[in-house]
Amino acid sequence: MFRPFLFAAFVVFSAGPVLANPEQPKLPRGTQVMRCTFETGHLSNSTPGEVDLLKIPGGEWKVYDTFLHHFDLPLQPVQVLVDNPKRTTFGWKVDRLKTKRNKYTPRVEFRVTRLKASGKASIAVRPRGYRSETAWGSCEPIHAIRAGAGGAASSS
């Protein structure tokens, strides 16, 4: 039996770079970012069109994307699942997501895979108990960012 995707009715706003959002927390000096963009027009609005993967000094990875922004969620921890000469795969999850319409899912899992040679990338969104989605796009090479006024970050 096919159940409709939980987030199909949600609108995730993609108004420019995610890190340009002045509501973002300050990032430590030396933080690096890899910005990924995905073609999500044919998918439900829960698949993020923009993802910023942040490498915090000390080696910890975090993520912020349009999905997290829509639900007012903080930066999420990221695991590097695969890192070999051809590709890097990052994974993170959001647990116990409840909407204002009283819809609920126990976990939404995300994976971004970037091919190192071309920069092409894919994102897979898997909400437990609902239909998975995949979108394709690209990721910029990782580069340093610097903290800007009001806690926003900008490319250097």
Side-chain angles (χ1 to χ4, degrees):
M1 179 161 160
F2 183 80
R3 292 194 289 180
F5 190 38
L6 173 66
F7 304 105
F10 296 166
V11 177
V12 177
F13 300 102
S14 177
V18 175
L19 284 176
N21 177 5
E23 298 170 7
Q24 264 304 100
K26 289 187 179 180
L27 298 170
R29 184 171 301 281
T31 298
Q32 297 177 314
V33 64
M34 181 169 43
R35 174 159 297 136
C36 303
T37 55
F38 300 99
E39 297 294 326
T40 59
H42 64 286
L43 300 173
S44 74
N45 291 325
S46 64
T47 301
E50 292 183 8
V51 175
D52 285 327
L53 293 157
L54 306 161
K55 187 173 185 181
I56 309 298
E60 181 182 16
W61 284 88
K62 299 274 186 174
V63 67
Y64 194 71
D65 58 35
T66 50
F67 179 88
L68 297 171
H69 175 72
H70 177 73
F71 288 102
D72 296 321
L73 297 173
L75 295 170
Q76 298 292 306
V78 172
Q79 289 184 305
V80 177
L81 303 172
V82 175
D83 190 12
N84 62 40
K86 291 185 177 185
R87 70 183 53 86
T88 304
T89 300
F90 302 91
W92 67 97
K93 63 185 177 184
V94 176
D95 287 321
R96 304 186 56 82
L97 184 66
K98 187 174 179 181
T99 70
K100 293 177 183 175
R101 292 184 179 174
N102 213 21
K103 302 270 185 178
Y104 169 80
T105 188
R107 175 180 292 164
V108 182
E109 296 175 350
F110 298 84
R111 280 193 180 193
V112 168
T113 298
R114 180 185 185 266
L115 300 178
K116 292 180 178 180
S118 65
K120 292 182 180 178
S122 65
I123 186 167
V125 179
R126 292 187 297 259
R128 181 178 283 168
Y130 297 89
R131 175 175 65 89
S132 297
E133 294 184 340
T134 303
W136 289 265
S138 63
C139 294
E140 297 174 0
I142 193 165
H143 61 278
I145 58 174
R146 57 183 170 75
S154 60
S155 296
S156 59

